[in-house]
Amino acid sequence: MHSYALAGFWFFGSLCLNPKMMHRPPPPDDFALKETSPHLGGGKVSGDKLTSTYDLVEQMQYLYVRVVKAKDLPGKDVTGSCDPYVEVKLGNYLGKTRVFEKKTNPEWNQVFAFSKDRLQASVLEVTVKDKDVVKDDFIGRVFFDLNEIPKRVPPDSPLAPQWYRLEDRQGNKAKGELMLAVWMGTQADEAFPEAWHSDAAVVSGADGLANIRSKVYLSPKLWYLRVNVIEAQDLLPGDKGRYPEVFVRAILGSQALRTRVSLARGINPMWNEDLMFVAAEPFEEPLILSVEDRVAPNKDEVLGKCAIPLQYVDRRLDHKPVNSRWFNLEKHVIVEGEKKKETKFSSRIHMRICLEGGYHVLDESTHYSSDLRPTAKQLWKSSIGVLELGILNAQGLMPMKTKDGRGTTDAYCVAKYGQKWVRTRTIIDSFSPKWNEQYTWEVFDPCTVITIGVFDNWHLHGGDKAAGAKDSKIGKVRIRLSTLETDRVYTHSYPLLVLHSNGVKKMGEIHLAVRFTCSSLLNMMHMYSHPLLPKMHYLHPLTVSQLDSLRHQATQIVSMRLGRAEPPLRKEVVEYMLDVGSHMWSMRRSKANFFRIMNVLGGLIAVGKWFDQICNWKNPITTVLIHILFIILVLYPELILPTIFLYLFLIGVWYYRWRPRHPPHMDTRLSHADSSHPDELDEEFDTFPTSRPSDVVRMRYDRLRSIAGRIQTVVGDLATQGERLQSLLSWRDPRATALFVIFCLVAAIVLYVTPFQVVALLAGFYILRHPRFRHKLPSVPLNFFRRLPARTDSML
């Protein structure tokens, strides 16, 4: 009997779950992902596992010269003083230290790096000179034969610098000594990030050099600030003969919110209304509250103000209310042209203010979040693994600007995961730059996404030359960690795709090596039963409009703070990495989401067509088997559920052969970027508000775009749910599919040995249980479902 049931379901699955029906046709080769076999870690590769500490990149050899200091230098000027600096010369490459004025014992402590691939000489020359107005004076020099320079491989300790006696032009001993360290090393050397590179010899000035070096940035720590405005007392309106229309305006930095006008008309108004802000540590600006009276349609009178420094505001980790406080309202009057505080003023405002540590402040799109932890560090769980990223090189980049009559590109990469942003060094004037830099992040949740963007640097020379210039975007890649197998090294070349108003364009390819290492497989599997966001998002959820507004404020704060770093991570870079404009209306994106839904519904349509074929005896053998199966399940209804779960288990094991072997990448067909009408792209790249001439058309068009943007989001969310359902058995997330397949097997066994009536009774009682026995947090199956990957990662 069981064999008949299995045979019937096998036929059913083979007909309606054909792999050809579940997978879209591959994109054109030009936009495809390509697997590569780079020479990683100096060839120290053992299967998928690598053995060295800097093993996800190709080794690059450099000659390092550390110029530490000099002593007893002779005076060359008329006054007997000396303005020394050091020249480090190797072939055509020449690096210079900074100049010290009137100092015979200068300390530079600067490092120079010469790429071994471009070495054009066998002798390194280090010369000490005296800066002069007309011609710099020669003080002395030291020579090094490159064949005798020692090699250093981390984790060896840095090479100790030594004193070298300076020689004159004839090779005789000169006055003065120079402390140096010279060695051959790789990009894993600690000196690499801060070194002057011969590859960037054309860049001059401290600002220019600072803008080309690799850097690590940290996003500011963001908090939600909740201001619960309760009531005010003893207000003194200017016009005593009318009932005041009082509201409270709150300002934090560039954020401004206001309450509704109090329904209690009088001098003791009440609101009991929450206002939410985003605040960033360190807290630089106070919260400013003003109680205002609407005396005319466009005129408000300030009845009192107070400023509250955020350093002294209570912080809460849960949903328990904090103590409310009364704050004095100050009123200023103009006396002889100067603002002075009115001392007789005694109005007060009653509020409950707290910094929310139990929420995660969303500064990214929820589809591409790289961090889901609450703000308060006390609530963080332990890490579950390590993400390592090797940024190898790029190929076929397009010229992004014109210099000396020819196209050129000065490319660098930015990678963002969690609070840590990294920026590679800028490779000057190259369409095939080689970075070979490796970075590491702690992972707290596998259902997160790392974003890697490539940009063209327009700030190489600093100063006024770069005023108003913006770094150009070349393209970006998103990789969802849950789609990666643990301990496997993924080496792929990703297409860099950018959508312009004239269509999608491939700007080149970026070559990455990625490895996700899990410290505890059990902990990571357990994460699939946890809510995606912290508890507070479910116990006291924020509204959709609040989340939209707060996310906008969070991205602006992150952009501003990183733009103030040195060197700055500029606004256009941060906004591109955070997908700031992704919520705007787009006909192309709406069509793509619609066809995603149709693709999900395609399975149900296929089932309907297949059942119609069964009813019409298109395949008599299959129809007879279905009749036998139907009779068995009617006579033995207890076999229905275990057979379904067992069949799902078999289907999951069967599709293991077709599991994806590559991480997802930008899909032009899925995004409908390669088939959009020019008019649709013109609309997508139109300004907001629109640039149409008529005021009426502008108003209507903007309203339509706003509404359509929300519809687009809803449609995309529906498609996401369907795609998550599809991914249960598709092995896109190998751990989630493994958990589901094992659950199906266990459920099948349990349901085979448990009477169906007992299972139905328990299930009914559980579904109809009293609210007292329900938990406010989402259930384990719902948490598991929300963590499943959708195809949003592959959309442009």
Side-chain angles (χ1 to χ4, degrees):
M1 244 183 291
H2 291 183
S3 60
Y4 279 120
L6 291 175
F9 272 106
W10 190 87
F11 271 106
F12 174 79
S14 61
L15 287 169
C16 70
L17 291 178
N18 192 315
K20 292 180 181 177
M21 294 169 59
M22 294 183 68
H23 299 289
R24 294 175 62 87
D29 289 341
D30 195 38
F31 294 154
L33 187 72
K34 300 169 188 171
E35 190 164 10
T36 60
S37 302
H39 190 70
L40 300 183
K44 301 174 184 175
V45 182
S46 174
D48 275 348
K49 302 256 185 157
L50 301 179
T51 54
S52 70
T53 54
Y54 210 74
D55 55 10
L56 288 188
V57 292
E58 298 179 0
Q59 279 195 0
M60 301 173 71
Q61 298 290 328
Y62 286 89
L63 168 65
Y64 289 99
V65 182
R66 181 182 291 279
V67 181
V68 184
K69 56 185 175 181
K71 66 179 181 180
D72 303 330
L73 297 179
K76 291 287 183 178
D77 295 342
V78 179
T79 59
S81 63
C82 178
D83 304 327
Y85 69 94
V86 176
E87 278 185 356
V88 182
K89 187 178 181 183
L90 186 64
N92 291 332
Y93 294 108
L94 179 67
K96 295 181 180 181
T97 68
R98 59 187 178 277
V99 178
F100 281 100
E101 293 185 4
K102 297 180 172 56
K103 200 165 187 180
T104 56
N105 297 304
E107 291 189 17
W108 294 282
N109 201 25
Q110 287 182 245
V111 182
F112 299 84
F114 299 87
S115 174
K116 189 178 180 182
D117 295 341
R118 300 188 182 182
L119 295 186
Q120 302 168 332
S122 58
V123 175
L124 170 71
E125 181 181 348
V126 183
T127 307
V128 182
K129 292 188 176 182
D130 174 32
K131 186 72 175 174
D132 209 342
V133 178
V134 182
K135 184 181 179 183
D136 298 346
D137 297 319
F138 175 88
I139 296 177
R141 63 186 173 188
V142 182
F143 287 105
F144 294 90
D145 187 342
L146 297 193
N147 296 321
E148 297 177 2
I149 290 175
K151 288 186 178 180
R152 184 218 164 194
V153 181
D156 292 351
S157 297
L159 194 67
Q162 302 178 42
W163 285 106
Y164 293 89
R165 172 71 70 176
L166 295 177
E167 298 178 356
D168 59 18
R169 297 186 190 277
Q170 286 74 39
N172 300 320
K173 287 185 179 181
K175 187 178 180 183
E177 292 181 79
L178 184 62
M179 181 179 274
L180 296 170
V182 183
W183 70 96
M184 295 294 298
T186 67
Q187 75 271 38
D189 202 291
E190 294 91 338
F192 180 79
E194 295 300 323
W196 173 94
H197 286 269
S198 57
D199 297 347
V202 297
V203 178
S204 59
D207 290 342
L209 289 173
N211 272 308
I212 64 170
R213 287 174 175 159
S214 54
K215 293 289 178 185
V216 175
Y217 303 83
L218 287 178
S219 291
K221 188 175 183 181
L222 300 177
W223 295 78
Y224 283 145
L225 174 68
R226 188 186 296 272
V227 182
N228 178 224
V229 184
I230 303 172
E231 59 181 329
Q233 282 188 356
D234 303 327
L235 298 180
L236 297 176
D239 184 0
K240 302 281 176 43
R242 56 179 282 277
Y243 286 110
E245 298 180 20
V246 184
F247 64 91
V248 176
R249 190 189 306 275
I251 299 174
L252 181 64
S254 61
Q255 306 168 71
L257 295 174
R258 45 159 291 179
T259 66
R260 65 185 185 279
V261 174
S262 174
L263 298 176
R265 300 282 185 91
I267 62 171
N268 298 316
M270 298 186 68
W271 297 276
N272 199 23
E273 188 174 340
D274 274 359
L275 303 176
M276 295 290 289
F277 298 89
V278 178
E281 288 188 10
F283 303 120
E284 297 175 343
E285 295 164 323
L287 173 69
I288 298 173
L289 291 121
S290 60
V291 180
E292 302 182 18
D293 177 19
R294 174 146 298 171
V295 294
N298 293 314
K299 186 180 179 184
D300 301 323
E301 179 190 3
V302 178
L303 303 182
K305 279 189 176 184
C306 67
I308 303 166
L310 299 187
Q311 293 89 333
Y312 309 113
V313 169
D314 293 333
R315 304 181 182 194
R316 72 171 182 177
L317 309 182
D318 50 28
H319 58 280
K320 295 176 182 175
V322 297
N323 294 328
S324 59
R325 292 174 56 193
W326 287 93
F327 295 88
N328 290 327
L329 292 171
E330 297 177 352
K331 190 173 184 181
H332 294 84
V333 294
I334 306 297
V335 179
E336 296 177 359
E338 292 185 6
K339 256 190 179 182
K340 291 192 177 179
K341 192 161 65 174
E342 190 175 321
T343 54
K344 295 179 181 178
F345 194 73
S346 59
S347 300
R348 298 189 304 166
I349 186 169
H350 190 199
M351 292 187 296
R352 186 179 283 113
I353 304 177
C354 66
L355 289 162
E356 299 277 13
Y359 289 92
H360 169 70
V361 180
L362 293 164
D363 60 341
E364 305 167 285
S365 169
T366 49
H367 295 304
Y368 318 124
S369 287
S370 63
D371 187 11
L372 300 165
R373 291 171 294 170
T375 299
K377 202 168 185 178
Q378 302 94 304
L379 301 177
W380 290 3
K381 309 287 186 188
S382 58
S383 66
I384 60 163
V386 173
L387 171 65
E388 296 166 276
L389 172 69
I391 302 174
L392 304 177
N393 55 62
Q395 295 175 343
L397 297 185
M398 303 295 289
M400 302 300 293
K401 55 180 176 278
T402 304
K403 184 179 178 184
D404 300 328
R406 62 183 182 86
T408 181
T409 298
D410 307 313
Y412 67 92
C413 289
V414 174
K416 194 261 188 220
Y417 184 79
Q419 291 185 317
K420 180 178 172 183
W421 298 63
V422 299
R423 170 180 176 161
T424 67
R425 70 193 189 283
T426 300
I427 305 298
I428 308 299
D429 193 13
S430 174
F431 300 131
S432 300
K434 292 184 178 181
W435 293 286
N436 284 307
E437 297 183 27
Q438 184 170 336
Y439 298 96
T440 305
W441 288 267
E442 271 192 304
V443 176
F444 294 87
D445 193 315
C447 302
T448 45
V449 175
I450 181 172
T451 305
I452 304 104
V454 186
F455 301 88
D456 177 46
N457 196 333
W458 281 67
H459 300 84
L460 296 183
H461 303 288
D464 297 333
K465 293 182 182 178
K470 291 185 176 181
D471 291 351
S472 304
K473 55 180 184 259
I474 298 177
K476 69 181 167 189
V477 174
R478 289 188 290 257
I479 302 173
R480 183 174 291 272
L481 271 57
S482 64
T483 61
L484 304 178
E485 296 175 15
T486 51
D487 297 323
R488 177 184 166 189
V489 178
Y490 289 84
T491 52
H492 289 85
S493 185
Y494 295 81
L496 294 170
L497 306 175
V498 173
L499 193 65
H500 296 288
S501 56
N502 55 356
V504 68
K505 189 174 183 181
K506 182 178 176 182
M507 308 296 288
E509 296 179 355
I510 183 171
H511 194 185
L512 303 174
V514 185
R515 176 172 53 202
F516 173 35
T517 307
C518 172
S519 55
S520 169
L521 185 61
L522 196 62
N523 282 349
M524 184 162 66
M525 293 296 196
H526 186 52
M527 287 295 299
Y528 281 88
S529 67
H530 287 195
L532 198 62
L533 291 168
K535 288 181 181 180
M536 285 291 286
H537 285 271
Y538 305 102
L539 299 177
H540 284 271
L542 302 173
T543 65
V544 174
S545 58
Q546 272 184 318
L547 287 173
D548 284 346
S549 172
L550 292 171
R551 185 195 163 207
H552 173 72
Q553 295 299 337
T555 55
Q556 294 303 309
I557 290 172
V558 171
S559 173
M560 181 187 70
R561 290 288 179 93
L562 293 179
R564 286 164 47 188
E566 190 58 46
L569 201 59
R570 301 181 189 279
K571 182 179 180 180
E572 62 271 17
V573 173
V574 176
E575 290 187 347
Y576 182 60
M577 296 290 288
L578 294 179
D579 285 296
V580 166
S582 62
H583 65 286
M584 299 298 287
W585 160 253
S586 162
M587 179 68 79
R588 173 194 62 83
R589 202 179 288 118
S590 296
K591 283 202 308 186
N593 286 333
F594 173 77
F595 283 107
R596 284 170 62 202
I597 287 183
M598 293 306 297
N599 190 39
V600 170
L601 296 177
L604 297 175
I605 296 169
V607 171
K609 288 181 178 178
W610 172 82
F611 187 71
D612 186 61
Q613 290 176 355
I614 294 296
C615 295
N616 290 301
W617 290 74
K618 298 285 186 184
N619 189 334
I621 298 174
T622 306
T623 304
V624 170
L625 283 172
I626 290 298
H627 276 77
I628 296 171
L629 177 64
F630 175 71
I631 293 168
I632 291 170
L633 294 180
V634 168
L635 294 177
Y636 301 94
E638 66 271 15
L639 297 181
I640 295 174
L641 282 177
T643 308
I644 289 173
F645 279 110
L646 183 60
Y647 181 67
L648 289 173
F649 164 74
L650 293 174
I651 283 290
V653 173
W654 181 259
Y655 279 129
Y656 182 75
R657 294 187 302 168
W658 292 293
R659 69 192 185 279
R661 301 297 296 168
H662 308 302
H665 67 291
M666 304 297 185
D667 191 334
T668 54
R669 287 188 177 178
L670 178 69
S671 308
H672 282 256
D674 57 350
S675 60
S676 293
H677 192 274
D679 184 60
E680 294 173 2
L681 292 174
D682 177 65
E683 180 188 24
E684 183 171 343
F685 284 89
D686 187 17
T687 57
F688 190 87
T690 177
S691 55
R692 298 297 184 271
S694 170
D695 291 337
V696 175
V697 173
R698 178 179 299 171
M699 181 270 293
R700 292 176 179 172
Y701 188 42
D702 290 346
R703 182 174 59 192
L704 175 64
R705 291 173 76 187
S706 299
I707 296 170
R710 294 200 178 271
I711 296 172
Q712 164 188 303
T713 303
V714 172
V715 171
D717 288 341
L718 289 173
T720 297
Q721 307 313 316
E723 287 167 356
R724 283 174 177 163
L725 197 62
Q726 281 185 330
S727 68
L728 276 172
L729 296 174
S730 69
W731 293 94
R732 276 199 72 214
D733 182 345
R735 285 162 291 276
T737 303
L739 281 172
F740 182 71
V741 167
I742 292 168
F743 168 77
C744 290
L745 177 62
V746 173
I749 295 170
V750 171
L751 292 170
Y752 267 123
V753 300
T754 307
F756 178 76
Q757 290 84 351
V758 174
V759 173
L761 198 62
L762 291 175
F765 280 141
Y766 178 77
I767 292 170
L768 299 172
R769 68 194 185 278
H770 192 272
R772 181 180 298 175
F773 301 108
R774 296 179 188 271
H775 203 270
K776 285 189 175 182
L777 293 179
S779 63
V780 170
L782 190 58
N783 293 332
F784 179 85
F785 182 76
R786 285 174 175 169
R787 288 175 169 277
L788 292 171
R791 303 198 70 195
T792 49
D793 312 330
S794 304
M795 286 194 66
L796 279 173

